[in-house]
């Protein structure tokens, strides 16, 4: 049995016969999670697990970097709680480094995937990510030339985390397109949800790894040898290499899908004038899957022009497709709603350790106790809110639809941020912790999942890579904004930090952005449940031929 299988709708079957969407649906009923689905899930999901693992590891590693790089005096005998502070711009930039790289990776790999094909590109993004991880954990030890200060070491981490982000970013459009182009129509949303749920596993594993590593090092950390924390963060980051190496071969040997090849043929059609008055070629002899001749002249004319396009035609396909206002509005809705959710989602998740400290959860008498309590808080949030949200999306996406899930997620998270911002210290630390968990639940049973899923479904395969990459890149701009600005804006000492608005002020901004996201979704994002964008694209090409 081949590793890569195809079960998606294509307008021509393996024998070249025309197949309608209705015929396809009749022969491809909805099925439970199959072995083919599991293989697709495992191979394509590793990038999203790596994305979330990196997101949470930097959140958990930041206090360790603060101790190791910014402790004044003897690190081995430090008793400072909480950890020393990292300069705001430096911490924010290093936190956002992978997201900055994501933008470059999403746009470049999305373009290359549409231009040269999925087979040409897939696996290369994982190689980039692997090299980035290796260089991050290869940070020279203390005293190396040019890396004697904490800030210099943080800039090393920034540079190689940027490269890691390029690889992770390239995975977004590629894996989304590949899964959408190989899944059945009735199972496509669930499969995209399954793939994206690997973010939840990455989050969970990051917290578990940290909770395991800290007790292993407990003796050193509590007996005058605190500098051993250097080994903790290198293991935290380096363990991500295991799944990357395990699945790299399968990505590099992926065959091209029929759905993508047939869709790119329509880029050639789109550049021709198909009006009957100036069509000067013979119509193509076609048959349906049951052997009957195709009588629809529009189908014959379109198929006669359908062929693998020259590269310059495929390059122009994106602009040609989105020159139509309806398609441009959909692109805007998908991209802007992704931006709005990522401002809040990454603002919280890149700085969850800071938030846990501010609400009174991360405490401890010693540095070891403080680091362990912080890791436990992140683990509780992941188990109670972050991971279950993905599986609620998977369970209900083909029942409730993408649009409904996205709108209700925006509204519930807005409500949680409004309560947290408005109530402030009037609520106990436990109550604020519970509100944070609920917000995480409805991020993932809501817009964090659906803003990834919808662009993978709503655009035809011939422009899907770059369109999905563009939407994801716009979303990451929101993540970068939060990653760099959150630490400064959330400060409560307005004299020392001019322009800061405190944590409650930042949460009010998140509240407003989440409400705006619900509005944008309602007016600009279409429902994609049960719709095949390649079939719709084909019908639009047919409509250009006068009957």
């Amino acid at each position: 049995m081949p590793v890569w299988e195809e079960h998606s709708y294509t307008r021509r079957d393996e024998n070249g016969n025309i197949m309608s969407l209705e015929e396809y649906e009749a022969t491809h009923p909805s099925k439970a999670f199959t072995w083919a689905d599991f293989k697709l899930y495992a191979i394509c999901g590793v990038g999203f697990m790596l994305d979330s693992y990196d997101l949470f590891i930097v959140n958990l590693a930041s206090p360790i970097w603060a101790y190791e790089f910014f402790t004044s005096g003897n690190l081995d005998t430090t008793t400072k709680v909480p950890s020393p502070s990292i300069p705001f711009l430096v911490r924010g930039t290093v936190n956002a480094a992978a997201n900055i790289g994501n933008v470059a990776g999403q746009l470049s790999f999305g373009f290359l995937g549409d231009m040269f094909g999925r087979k040409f590109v897939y696996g290369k993004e994982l190689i980039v990510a692997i090299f980035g991880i290796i260089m991050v954990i290869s940070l020279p030890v203390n005293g190396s030339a040019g890396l004697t200060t904490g800030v210099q070491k943080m800039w090393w981490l920034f540079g190689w985390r940027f490269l890691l982000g390029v690889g992770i970013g390239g995975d977004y459009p590629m894996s989304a397109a590949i899964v959408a182009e190989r899944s059945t129509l009735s199972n496509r949303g669930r499969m995209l949800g399954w793939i994206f749920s690997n973010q939840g596993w990455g989050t969970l594993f990051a917290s578990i790894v940290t909770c395991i590593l800290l007790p292993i090092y407990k003796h050193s950390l509590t007996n005058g040898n605190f500098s051993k924390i250097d080994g903790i963060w290198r293991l935290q980051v380096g363990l991500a290499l295991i799944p990357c190496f395990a699945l790299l071969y399968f990505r590099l040997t992926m065959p091209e899908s029929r759905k993508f090849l047939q869709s790119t043929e329509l880029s050639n059609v789109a550049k021709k004038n198909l009006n009957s008055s100036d069509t000067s070629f013979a119509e193509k002899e076609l048959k349906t899957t049951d052997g009957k001749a195709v009588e629809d002249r529009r189908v014959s004319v379109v198929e006669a022009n359908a062929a693998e396009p020259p590269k310059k035609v495929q390059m122009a396909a994106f602009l040609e497709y989105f020159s139509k206002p309806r398609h441009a509005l959909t692109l805007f809705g998908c991209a802007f709603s992704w931006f709005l959710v990522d401002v809040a989602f990454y603002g919280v998740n890149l700085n969850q350790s800071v938030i846990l400290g501010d609400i009174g959860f991360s405490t401890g008498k010693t540095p070891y106790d403080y680091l362990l309590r912080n890791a436990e808080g992140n683990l509780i949030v992941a188990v109670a809110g972050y991971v279950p949200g993905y599986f609620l999306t998977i369970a209900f996406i083909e029942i409730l639809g993408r649009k409904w899930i996205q709108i209700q997620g925006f509204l519930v998270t807005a409500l949680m941020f409004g309560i947290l911002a408005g109530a402030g210290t009037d609520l106990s630390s436990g109550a604020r912790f519970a509100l944070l968990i609920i917000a995480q639940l409805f991020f993932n049973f809501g817009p964090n999942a659906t803003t990834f899923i919808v662009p993978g479904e709503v655009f035809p395969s011939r422009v899907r890579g770059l369109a999905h990459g563009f939407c994801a890149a716009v979303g990451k701009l929101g993540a970068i904004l939060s990653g760099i600005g959150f630490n400064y804006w959330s400060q409560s000492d307005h004299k020392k930090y001019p322009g800061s608005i405190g944590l409650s002020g930042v949460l009010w901004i998140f509240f407003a952005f989440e409400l705006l996201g619900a509005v944008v979704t309602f007016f600009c994002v279409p429902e994609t449940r049960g719709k095949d964008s390649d079939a719709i694209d084909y019908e639009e090409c047919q409509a250009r031929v006068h009957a």
Side-chain angles (χ1 to χ4, degrees):
M1 183 179 293
V3 173
W4 294 95
E5 300 180 38
E6 296 187 42
H7 301 283
S8 60
Y9 168 72
T10 53
R11 68 179 188 274
R12 297 193 304 272
D13 65 11
E14 296 91 336
N15 301 315
N17 298 319
I18 294 293
M19 177 171 56
S20 69
L21 186 58
E22 291 74 17
E23 290 174 317
Y24 164 81
E25 289 180 319
T27 56
H28 291 76
S30 179
K31 294 181 179 179
F33 200 67
T34 65
W35 176 239
D37 293 335
F38 176 78
K39 290 185 290 185
L40 195 61
Y41 166 76
I43 297 170
C44 295
V46 65
F48 297 103
M49 185 176 71
L50 179 60
D51 177 31
S52 189
Y53 185 88
D54 170 75
L55 167 68
F56 266 77
I57 279 300
V58 73
N59 177 44
L60 292 164
S62 289
I64 297 177
W65 291 333
Y67 275 116
E68 183 177 357
F69 303 154
F70 295 93
T71 294
S72 58
N74 189 351
L75 175 61
D76 279 332
T77 57
T78 184
T79 57
K80 183 176 177 59
V81 175
S83 61
S85 61
I86 301 173
F88 291 121
L89 179 61
V90 175
R91 178 187 172 111
T93 306
V94 172
N95 279 1
N99 288 320
I100 298 171
N102 285 165
V103 174
Q106 286 157 346
L107 292 174
S108 59
F109 280 91
F111 170 77
L112 292 171
D114 285 348
M115 179 75 171
F116 297 102
R118 318 308 193 212
K119 176 180 172 61
F120 176 83
V121 173
Y122 207 44
K124 314 300 190 297
E125 78 295 329
L126 197 54
I127 293 174
V128 173
I130 288 171
F131 185 70
I133 293 172
I134 291 172
M135 294 307 297
V136 166
I137 62 177
S138 298
L139 171 67
V141 296
N142 293 336
S144 300
L147 291 169
T148 56
T149 68
V151 171
Q152 289 172 337
K153 294 170 185 176
M154 294 297 284
W155 285 121
W156 170 285
L157 296 175
F158 168 82
W160 296 113
R161 291 195 72 250
F162 172 86
L163 185 66
L164 167 62
V166 172
I168 293 174
D171 197 68
Y172 271 72
M174 287 298 92
S175 288
I178 288 164
V179 171
E181 290 159 13
R182 281 177 158 82
S183 302
T184 61
L185 186 60
S186 59
N187 203 34
R188 184 187 60 205
R190 280 193 293 267
M191 275 305 302
L192 286 167
W194 273 110
I195 298 302
F196 200 60
S197 73
N198 277 275
Q199 277 200 339
W201 295 122
T203 300
L204 186 60
F205 291 153
S207 299
I208 291 173
V209 163
T210 303
C211 288
I212 292 173
L213 288 175
L214 283 170
I216 290 174
Y217 279 80
K218 181 178 181 179
H219 180 76
S220 296
L221 301 185
T222 56
N223 288 275
N225 203 7
F226 199 76
S227 60
K228 292 292 185 181
I229 56 173
D230 180 77
I232 297 176
W233 73 260
R234 292 181 195 269
L235 283 170
Q236 282 177 312
V237 176
L239 286 171
L241 291 169
I242 296 173
C244 295
F245 280 119
L247 296 171
L248 178 60
Y249 169 79
F250 299 106
R251 289 194 173 203
L252 292 173
T253 56
M254 181 198 74
E256 197 63 88
S257 71
R258 290 199 318 273
K259 190 176 184 70
F260 172 73
L261 292 173
Q262 292 186 23
S263 179
T264 56
E265 293 173 352
L266 297 184
S267 296
N268 202 46
V269 174
K271 301 299 291 183
K272 293 179 179 288
N273 185 350
L274 301 183
N275 290 339
S276 58
S277 59
D278 47 18
T279 298
S280 58
F281 51 83
E283 295 175 13
K284 192 174 183 179
E285 285 288 336
L286 298 167
K287 293 184 179 181
T288 62
T289 52
D290 58 3
K292 295 181 180 178
V294 175
E295 297 179 357
D296 189 341
R297 178 181 175 278
R298 295 176 302 172
V299 175
S300 301
V301 171
V302 170
E303 290 295 338
N305 281 268
E308 183 178 354
K311 290 293 181 284
K312 63 179 182 180
V313 171
Q314 184 61 15
M315 284 179 64
F318 183 88
L319 295 176
E320 184 276 329
Y321 181 81
F322 288 106
S323 66
K324 299 177 176 60
R326 178 169 62 86
H327 298 156
L329 180 64
T330 299
L331 184 67
F332 165 79
C334 290
F336 192 44
S337 59
W338 203 331
F339 171 86
L340 293 170
V341 69
D342 272 9
V343 168
F345 180 78
Y346 283 89
V348 169
N349 286 295
L350 281 173
N351 300 281
Q352 192 156 273
S353 294
V354 176
I355 295 172
L356 289 174
D358 283 353
I359 67 176
F361 186 88
S362 293
T363 58
K365 295 181 180 180
T366 68
Y368 170 80
D369 293 334
Y370 166 74
L371 291 172
L372 185 61
R373 180 71 169 169
N374 178 56
E376 290 171 346
N378 280 278
L379 178 60
I380 293 169
V381 172
V383 172
Y386 199 93
V387 175
Y390 288 112
F391 293 100
L392 287 172
T393 295
I394 293 167
F396 291 104
I397 193 165
E398 299 297 352
I399 300 172
L400 301 175
R402 291 74 165 145
K403 190 169 184 174
W404 190 93
I405 290 176
Q406 185 159 313
I407 290 174
Q408 61 88 31
F410 269 126
L411 294 176
V412 174
T413 52
L415 177 62
M416 295 302 105
F417 288 132
I419 296 172
L420 282 168
T425 56
D426 293 337
L427 293 174
S428 67
S429 62
R432 285 178 284 172
F433 187 56
L435 291 171
L436 181 62
I437 290 174
I438 295 171
Q440 290 284 24
L441 177 70
F442 280 91
F443 267 134
N444 294 327
F445 180 41
N448 185 49
T450 52
T451 51
F452 167 81
I453 292 170
V454 172
E457 298 179 311
V458 74
F459 305 117
S461 297
R462 63 191 177 97
V463 298
R464 181 175 289 139
L466 184 53
H468 194 285
F470 173 80
C471 294
V474 172
K476 290 301 181 184
L477 292 177
I480 295 166
L481 177 65
S482 276
I484 294 176
F486 181 95
N487 282 279
Y488 186 90
W489 295 327
S490 62
Q491 295 302 308
S492 56
D493 189 342
H494 306 306
K495 291 183 179 179
K496 186 177 180 181
Y497 305 101
S500 64
I501 54 179
L503 180 60
S504 62
V506 172
L507 292 174
W508 277 125
I509 292 175
F510 292 169
F511 167 81
F513 274 41
E514 298 300 281
L515 282 183
L516 181 58
V519 174
V520 170
T521 300
F522 183 81
F523 287 105
C524 303
V525 178
E527 178 57 64
T528 56
R529 178 177 53 170
K531 297 179 180 178
D532 188 285
S533 56
D534 287 308
I536 295 172
D537 191 33
Y538 186 52
E539 290 171 359
E540 290 179 357
C541 285
Q542 292 181 36
R544 296 175 57 211
V545 182
H546 295 306

